[in-house]
Amino acid sequence: MHRPTKWFALALAASLAPAAHAHKMFLVPSATVSSAGEAWVTFDAAVSNDLFHFDHRPAQLDALEVIGPDGKAVEVENRSSGRLRSTFDLHLAQPGTYRVALRSAGLFASYVDAKGEKKRWRGSAERLGEIPADAKNVEIGESQGSVNAYVTLGKPNDAALKPSGHGLELVPVTAPNDLVAGEPARFRFLVDGKPAANLEVTVIAGGTRYRDRQDEIVATTDADGGFSVTWPNAGLYWLHASLDGQKPTIAKAKERRLSYTATFEVLPQ
Amino acid sequence: MRRLLLASLFLAASPVVFAASAQLTLELPRLDVSEYHRPYVAIWIEREDRSVAANLAVWYDGKEGKDANTGKAEPGTKWLADLRQWWRRSGREQTFPIDGVSGATRPAGEHQLRFDGDKAPLAGLAAGNYRLMVEVAREVGGRETASIPFAWPPASPQHLSAQGEHEIGKVRFDLDP
């Protein structure tokens, strides 16, 4: 088996790597631009084929992280997971921009066990012992990803948007809640804090159930990791990029697969 | 002689800064709909780069209303973001109420606003080309914007107008030097 194909298959097998191929993981905020002194936004979180319908399974909320306009973590309320989607509420108590992220980090492996059967495994670094000591052809990969959404009360700010320097991260140049149909928006991708050059970025408008084509917009980042998107219409958009072959953070892993996904709301002129 | 000199000085200066004025007439159309709420309205002047030179008026429900289902109080400012363009260009930078700009919602019909060139919000408006912007958003209704390009200060009396289609009727903007 050709090496990259094998790793791609592994990555596909690991649902830890979010939004691998057909199924897309996403957050849907009930509003992204709010006025008044405070506001509530409710979110849906799901893994689906159609954007942004719930047709497969709910997204797990255990690694949900919300950063508020002061750069500090904010707790969400009313978490619940149904058969097809999860949901939670976020109280916007102070003005500025909030970043909501479902983070995932983990390991996936393939090996041949003592009986000669090919097995697949996924888990965390602490659970690596679950792979039998007598396993052969053990190949371990690492994945890190995030599924994001941004909401703003009042005037936008960027304290919640500062990159951590770990994994694949989007740095908005255009404020993520200042997106208007027909106007270009600019962003940068960083990988472990450095520009992610030549990265392919896919953007798909919601409502795929009601049209015959995905109508993907594909952009490639420049040397500085930057790219622009001109939104053809108002609506919700799903943006995704992934990057294989990165140096792992865990010694036993062979490579690290990174992904970044976000939902953006684009308003009419 | 001295009096003549003063008078000529005054005449030379007055058309530029002091006497210019603007009268705005905005028609909010009468709509035959089952659920009618008075619209939120923002009126502002934007520069050629679309930045906001002056806010002229913002009409919204300044009081707390009650949510029909829950009975809980909801501030009227909650819907200001529905004035999408104005919210993005100016509203989100403001604290409410905006002195001399905020006002209550108004019924369907014609509304006149008069602005003097030497008073806020027109005082200090530099000579140049601008657009008068009107944005109207109605709860469970539509949203519309209208714009009228104009030069300030006016060299001669100007009678400018724009015609809306659904949420805005006729907009007239009369400028006097």
Side-chain angles (χ1 to χ4, degrees), chain A residues 122-146:
Chain A
R122 64 170 193 261
S124 58
E126 299 78 54
R127 286 169 47 205
L128 267 174
E130 290 172 10
I131 299 175
D134 56 359
K136 293 193 180 74
N137 301 343
V138 179
E139 293 208 19
I140 300 168
E142 184 182 359
S143 74
Q144 288 179 341
S146 66

Side-chain angles (χ1 to χ4, degrees), chain A residues 90-110:
Chain A
L90 176 63
H91 186 202
L92 311 182
Q94 56 173 315
T97 300
Y98 296 69
R99 183 171 58 83
V100 179
L102 296 169
R103 297 193 167 282
S104 62
L107 300 176
F108 51 95
S110 73

Side-chain angles (χ1 to χ4, degrees), chain A residues 33-38 154-156 177-180 183 267-269, chain B residues 50 75 77-82 84-85 87-89 92-93 143 145:
Chain A
V33 175
S34 298
S35 49
E38 59 167 337
K155 190 179 177 182
N177 299 131
D178 206 0
L179 310 178
V180 177
E183 288 187 14
L267 296 174
Q269 276 283 348
Chain B
R50 308 213 68 179
T77 49
K78 178 177 176 178
W79 309 110
L80 277 172
D82 288 355
R84 276 198 290 266
Q85 207 170 117
W87 183 252
R88 180 183 182 217
R89 305 218 183 270
R92 68 191 189 189
E93 313 275 338
R143 168 187 165 268
T145 59

Side-chain angles (χ1 to χ4, degrees), chain A residues 142-208:
Chain A
E142 184 182 359
S143 74
Q144 288 179 341
S146 66
V147 175
N148 301 267
Y150 305 88
V151 297
T152 296
L153 176 71
K155 190 179 177 182
N157 77 333
D158 62 2
L161 311 178
K162 298 220 177 346
S164 69
H166 300 291
L168 187 59
E169 297 180 285
L170 185 91
V171 182
V173 178
T174 307
N177 299 131
D178 206 0
L179 310 178
V180 177
E183 288 187 14
R186 192 158 180 82
F187 307 98
R188 281 180 76 211
F189 263 114
L190 301 180
V191 54
D192 295 334
K194 298 189 186 71
N198 215 22
L199 179 70
E200 191 172 279
V201 184
T202 303
V203 177
I204 305 175
T208 50

Side-chain angles (χ1 to χ4, degrees), chain A residues 239-256:
Chain A
L239 182 148
H240 178 78
S242 61
L243 191 57
D244 292 353
Q246 297 300 299
K247 194 170 172 280
T249 62
I250 287 151
K252 284 183 177 169
K254 184 182 168 63
E255 67 147 16
R256 188 166 46 127

Side-chain angles (χ1 to χ4, degrees), chain A:
Chain A
M1 199 183 205
H2 195 248
R3 193 125 271 194
T5 320
K6 190 170 163 189
W7 277 99
F8 183 61
L10 266 177
L12 268 181
S15 69
L16 276 171
H21 241 119
H23 286 118
K24 300 174 179 73
M25 196 187 290
F26 55 77
L27 287 165
V28 178
S30 60
T32 60
V33 175
S34 298
S35 49
E38 59 167 337
W40 284 90
V41 180
T42 192
F43 290 80
D44 291 314
V47 181
S48 289
N49 275 334
D50 274 336
L51 295 172
F52 289 93
H53 289 97
F54 315 118
D55 60 18
H56 183 50
R57 63 176 173 84
Q60 301 299 317
L61 299 183
D62 34 321
L64 172 63
E65 176 192 87
V66 181
I67 304 296
D70 56 1
K72 295 189 180 122
V74 181
E75 280 303 307
V76 302
E77 297 185 30
N78 303 322
R79 289 167 184 251
S80 116
S81 279
R83 290 296 290 264
L84 295 175
R85 55 112 200 232
S86 297
T87 177
F88 57 92
D89 296 335
L90 176 63
H91 186 202
L92 311 182
Q94 56 173 315
T97 300
Y98 296 69
R99 183 171 58 83
V100 179
L102 296 169
R103 297 193 167 282
S104 62
L107 300 176
F108 51 95
S110 73
Y111 58 90
V112 177
D113 70 8
K115 290 181 205 156
E117 275 179 46
K118 199 171 160 86
K119 297 273 180 170
R120 287 194 171 120
W121 172 90
R122 64 170 193 261
S124 58
E126 299 78 54
R127 286 169 47 205
L128 267 174
E130 290 172 10
I131 299 175
D134 56 359
K136 293 193 180 74
N137 301 343
V138 179
E139 293 208 19
I140 300 168
E142 184 182 359
S143 74
Q144 288 179 341
S146 66
V147 175
N148 301 267
Y150 305 88
V151 297
T152 296
L153 176 71
K155 190 179 177 182
N157 77 333
D158 62 2
L161 311 178
K162 298 220 177 346
S164 69
H166 300 291
L168 187 59
E169 297 180 285
L170 185 91
V171 182
V173 178
T174 307
N177 299 131
D178 206 0
L179 310 178
V180 177
E183 288 187 14
R186 192 158 180 82
F187 307 98
R188 281 180 76 211
F189 263 114
L190 301 180
V191 54
D192 295 334
K194 298 189 186 71
N198 215 22
L199 179 70
E200 191 172 279
V201 184
T202 303
V203 177
I204 305 175
T208 50
R209 180 183 288 177
Y210 308 123
R211 59 180 192 261
D212 293 336
R213 293 168 189 251
Q214 294 287 311
D215 292 337
E216 295 173 340
I217 301 168
V218 177
T220 305
T221 58
D222 59 22
D224 198 36
F227 69 100
S228 296
V229 183
T230 300
W231 318 95
N233 296 296
L236 283 182
Y237 286 81
W238 186 81
L239 182 148
H240 178 78
S242 61
L243 191 57
D244 292 353
Q246 297 300 299
K247 194 170 172 280
T249 62
I250 287 151
K252 284 183 177 169
K254 184 182 168 63
E255 67 147 16
R256 188 166 46 127
R257 184 178 198 273
L258 305 174
S259 74
Y260 171 92
T261 305
T263 303
F264 291 107
E265 187 178 36
V266 175
L267 296 174
Q269 276 283 348

